[in-house]
Amino acid sequence: MAEPSRLRRTTEPSGLRGATEPSGLRHVTPSAREVTDGEPVALRLTRRGRMLVTTLSVLVFGAAIVVLGLRVSGVLEPGPRFTHTVPVQVAPGQSLWSIAQDTNPGQDPTAVVEKIANLNNLHTPADITPGQTLQIPVAG
């Protein structure tokens, strides 16, 4: 006979003939919590759960790779796409900001100023002088 801690008296029908022992005691398998003495039980996934986790992982990593690829190729590049440059002579009182707004209306002047500075090797926007000719990018 099984040890007393594993036997419990039950009044519920088991649904199986001969499932209860003659004394009215039924054999009860200890739960996972009883076996591990109160320690947390590890999560066990079913086949469907593993397939779901795998599918979601593939989708997330696939989307990340696509976004990264589009970013590298320039499709998702922030800021305007400049197609050509035009020479502009700086007038007295003009700044890179005003030149950017005049030559590229509708574009973010911050991105245009940055591109002008890079094209003309300017360390700061204040490095321009009246009469100087700058190459200005124009978005197409």
Side-chain angles (χ1 to χ4, degrees):
M1 188 155 202
E3 28 179 66
S5 66
R6 290 194 176 179
L7 295 178
R8 295 192 183 137
R9 186 168 297 278
T10 181
T11 57
E12 44 184 270
S14 67
L16 299 174
R17 286 190 180 180
T20 55
E21 295 180 6
S23 65
L25 296 177
R26 182 172 56 123
H27 180 73
V28 178
T29 306
S31 69
R33 291 195 193 279
E34 291 173 344
V35 172
T36 58
D37 296 328
E39 292 182 23
V41 178
L43 177 67
R44 301 189 78 171
L45 292 176
T46 61
R47 179 191 288 173
R48 182 181 294 169
R50 285 190 303 269
M51 286 176 42
L52 179 65
V53 169
T54 302
T55 303
L56 288 175
S57 298
V58 168
L59 287 175
V60 167
F61 288 121
I65 289 172
V66 167
V67 168
L68 183 62
L70 291 174
R71 175 84 174 170
V72 168
S73 69
V75 172
L76 295 179
E77 183 178 317
R81 282 198 165 268
F82 300 108
T83 56
H84 61 283
T85 60
V86 294
V88 171
Q89 189 171 10
V90 179
Q94 268 190 323
S95 65
L96 288 183
W97 190 268
S98 64
I99 294 171
Q101 288 178 323
D102 293 342
T103 57
N104 290 286
Q107 299 294 331
D108 178 22
T110 306
V112 179
V113 167
E114 185 178 325
K115 189 69 173 176
I116 292 170
N118 289 340
L119 281 174
N120 294 284
N121 297 322
L122 302 173
H123 298 293
T124 66
D127 286 349
I128 61 171
T129 56
Q132 181 181 3
T133 301
L134 299 174
Q135 291 298 318
I136 308 299
V138 178

